[in-house]
Amino acid sequence: MHRRRRTALALSAALVAAGPLLAACGGEAHPGAAAVVGGERIEVATLQSQVEEARAAQEKAPDSAQLVGNTGQLSRAKLHGLIFGRVLDRAAADAGVTVSRKEIQDALAAAEQQSGGAKQLAGMLLQQRGLAPDQIDQAVREDVLLTKLSAAMGADLGTPQGQQKVGAALTEASKKLDIDVNPRYGAWDDAKIQLGDYKAPWITQVTKEQENAQAGA
């Protein structure tokens, strides 16, 4: 149970990428939007707010210089996260999967316990995922939703096969949303479920495991 939840946390975290802020999307097609997902805009102001919250939290941390230095492309990472959240919502809706507030609260309490407390969890998520305290609830919601989606599909996120199965559902949802990203951020890749050339760690790990299996065959 805990291994499954930790795997889901790693997967959702891995699907977060990192670029400069712009004022338009698709040239002049969507002025003021960083991206358009399923016909709904992700405003540059929304993206800026997320970046500013994370930067403010980083600057207050004891290792602020290192945290800021390691996240030079934080705006792109946040845009990736905002897009991925909508892709996950669509995939879950297609599968009839929902998440209750109680499930989110229970998952957050479990994560805090495993991390040694709320402060320790916040510090870990800030360091590993660039999450400000106010962004943690949404991240936990996505973790729970991803876990429930995989369960509904009979996919084990702890295996390459399970990850590929969930990835296929996310790719299908991504295509349905017709994602249009400001070209200066790069282009959204439906197949890889990522922004631009970002290599998601969980995808890289699956590739390595496949290569190792083939080498040993």
Side-chain angles (χ1 to χ4, degrees):
M1 177 80 175
H2 290 322
R3 181 180 66 84
R4 190 181 185 89
R5 182 171 301 284
R6 284 196 297 270
T7 303
L9 273 168
L11 176 56
S12 56
L15 293 167
V16 176
L21 291 170
L22 315 187
C25 175
E28 295 301 319
H30 307 290
V36 177
V37 182
E40 297 183 357
R41 296 158 59 92
I42 296 177
E43 301 290 351
V44 167
T46 300
L47 181 57
Q48 287 177 327
S49 177
Q50 288 231 344
V51 172
E52 289 168 1
E53 287 177 0
R55 281 285 183 242
Q58 288 177 337
E59 290 169 359
K60 293 178 182 177
D63 52 348
S64 59
Q66 181 180 355
L67 288 175
V68 172
N70 290 341
T71 53
Q73 295 183 313
L74 184 58
S75 59
R76 193 169 177 224
K78 290 300 181 183
L79 178 57
H80 177 100
L82 288 167
I83 295 172
F84 174 73
R86 298 188 184 194
V87 172
L88 177 57
D89 282 345
R90 178 57 187 265
D94 288 347
V97 175
T98 61
V99 173
S100 69
R101 181 59 192 165
K102 184 178 185 304
E103 287 175 316
I104 297 172
Q105 292 172 336
D106 289 346
L108 179 58
E112 289 176 348
Q113 183 177 15
Q114 291 172 12
S115 302
K119 183 177 180 180
Q120 287 78 4
L121 176 64
M124 180 188 73
L125 292 178
L126 178 64
Q127 181 180 49
Q128 296 181 358
R129 299 173 58 175
L131 293 176
D134 288 345
Q135 297 167 358
I136 293 176
D137 273 13
Q138 176 61 22
V140 172
R141 176 188 175 276
E142 291 177 5
D143 168 47
V144 175
L145 194 59
L146 187 61
T147 300
K148 292 188 67 175
L149 174 62
S150 66
M153 298 177 62
D156 182 357
L157 287 174
T159 67
Q161 295 80 5
Q163 292 171 5
Q164 289 169 351
K165 189 172 183 179
V166 173
L170 293 170
T171 290
E172 182 179 355
S174 182
K175 291 178 178 178
K176 291 177 181 178
L177 291 172
D178 190 23
I179 298 167
D180 179 15
V181 177
N182 187 313
R184 294 189 186 180
Y185 286 104
W188 181 262
D189 190 323
D190 291 323
K192 296 180 180 179
I193 324 162
Q194 65 188 37
L195 183 60
D197 295 327
Y198 173 72
K199 299 299 183 183
W202 77 281
I203 295 175
T204 302
Q205 182 61 33
V206 170
T207 302
K208 287 181 179 178
E209 290 176 355
Q210 289 175 328
E211 291 174 348
N212 291 338
Q214 291 172 355

